[in-house]
Amino acid sequence: MIGGISYFHEFAYDLLAENERICAATFDGAISAFRNGRLQKITVLSSSMVFESASVFPTPEGAQQTSPPPRSTYGFQKLATEYFARGAHEQYGLPYTIVRPFNCVGIGERRALRDHDVMSGNVKLAMSHVVPDLVQKVLKGQDPLRILGDGRQVRHYTYGGDLARGIRLAMESPAATNEDFNLSTAQSTTVRELAELIWKKVHGNTRPFRLEHDPPFEHDVQKRIPDVGKAKRVLQFEATTTLDQMLDEVIPWIKAEIDAGRV
């Protein structure tokens, strides 16, 4: 089920139940393949949402075990997936690597499936993720631009190509066995900064930047700031693509999607 923060309460049970069934079946298959000599390791894509209730920033690996549990069922299920990996290793010896991508940005995402439309002013949200939805609102001429909350929420927007490279390194590196890694850019960006950068890329100096604020979603975490030192030290991984470079790729793609009537 692909979606953003609106999914966390809209599908609070389904996200937990369906993903738990998928994970249990996947780990059953992995344990069987490992015991039969047909699998070396399982690599688990977790989520930054395991740190939903963290209070230490930058947040290091291991904080998921010392922080309060995630408040959303989505974050809780992602944390449960990590415990599947640890439990399978403890009982059956199945080697694992856990990776946590942070705020993936790229092209190719399709409209999220939901039972009803979610409006933000005069624009219907499309992907449930902040970058493509802010881009489509600016391209469609929304002025003032509407954002959720006060705009001070901090995120680390990480290019999908960088994340793919980090995941591959985690899969292939012997040093990654039975370890967990935050995969992320080291650059912090507020939602307001993101919105202003998109606005200026689309409008230049032809329009003054204006914002209106909608009520935030219930599970809109104010800070999600990872410690990226372990991935750099163990995997030699760094996310090097800048937000400016990401937007140079995403904005034309969203424009093409709008022109084709898909957004």
Side-chain angles (χ1 to χ4, degrees):
M1 297 175 67
I2 305 301
I5 191 170
S6 65
Y7 268 41
F8 296 175
H9 54 86
E10 190 171 350
F11 298 108
Y13 175 78
D14 291 348
L15 282 168
L16 184 67
E18 292 186 20
N19 290 342
E20 285 291 286
R21 295 184 189 106
I22 292 169
C23 285
T26 300
F27 274 94
D28 285 348
I31 291 167
S32 176
F34 173 69
R35 296 179 78 181
N36 291 326
R38 293 184 287 115
L39 181 73
Q40 294 181 23
K41 184 183 75 169
I42 188 167
T43 302
V44 177
L45 266 70
S46 182
S47 169
S48 62
M49 282 297 290
V50 303
F51 299 130
E52 184 179 3
S53 301
S55 58
V56 175
F57 305 101
T59 309
E61 292 86 349
Q64 74 280 2
Q65 296 179 333
T66 59
S67 303
R71 299 188 302 276
S72 66
T73 55
Y74 175 85
F76 186 87
Q77 196 280 321
K78 286 295 188 180
L79 182 59
T81 302
E82 297 190 9
Y83 275 85
F84 268 96
R86 298 179 189 279
H89 175 67
E90 183 177 339
Q91 185 171 350
Y92 296 103
L94 175 66
Y96 68 87
T97 300
I98 295 167
V99 292
R100 304 185 190 94
F102 278 70
N103 293 98
C104 180
V105 176
I107 64 173
E109 183 180 359
R110 297 306 176 199
R111 177 178 290 277
L113 299 177
R114 51 162 57 91
D115 292 332
H116 62 275
D117 294 332
V118 176
M119 301 299 296
S120 179
N122 62 329
V123 176
K124 180 169 64 175
L125 297 183
M127 281 90 169
S128 301
H129 292 108
V130 64
V131 173
D133 269 331
L134 282 179
V135 169
Q136 66 127 350
K137 285 192 281 189
V138 174
L139 287 173
K140 289 180 177 179
Q142 189 177 81
D143 186 3
L145 179 61
R146 302 177 74 96
I147 63 173
L148 297 175
D150 60 14
R152 291 184 292 181
Q153 308 96 310
V154 177
R155 298 290 184 268
H156 280 225
Y157 300 106
T158 311
Y159 184 54
D162 287 338
L163 290 173
R165 179 166 46 85
I167 292 166
R168 179 179 174 181
L169 288 168
M171 292 173 67
E172 296 179 351
S173 172
T177 303
N178 302 330
E179 296 287 349
D180 60 331
F181 300 94
N182 298 333
L183 298 184
S184 174
T185 176
Q187 180 63 48
S188 293
T189 305
T190 67
V191 172
R192 182 186 176 90
E193 290 169 339
L194 170 66
E196 188 167 8
L197 180 57
I198 293 170
W199 184 276
K200 288 182 177 179
K201 278 191 168 289
V202 173
H203 295 307
N205 295 320
T206 61
R207 291 193 194 181
F209 176 61
R210 300 190 301 162
L211 281 180
E212 285 189 353
H213 301 273
D214 291 333
F217 285 119
E218 178 185 353
H219 299 293
D220 193 6
V221 180
Q222 293 304 296
K223 286 185 180 180
R224 205 174 298 162
I225 305 173
D227 188 324
V228 297
K230 183 178 179 181
K232 182 177 181 180
R233 184 175 66 254
V234 177
L235 302 177
Q236 288 74 57
F237 169 75
E238 289 185 87
T240 56
T241 308
T242 66
L243 182 55
D244 194 71
Q245 292 170 318
M246 294 178 229
L247 292 176
D248 284 342
E249 183 175 311
V250 170
I251 290 173
W253 173 70
I254 294 289
K255 186 178 186 305
E257 291 290 289
I258 292 172
D259 293 342
R262 288 188 289 266
V263 175

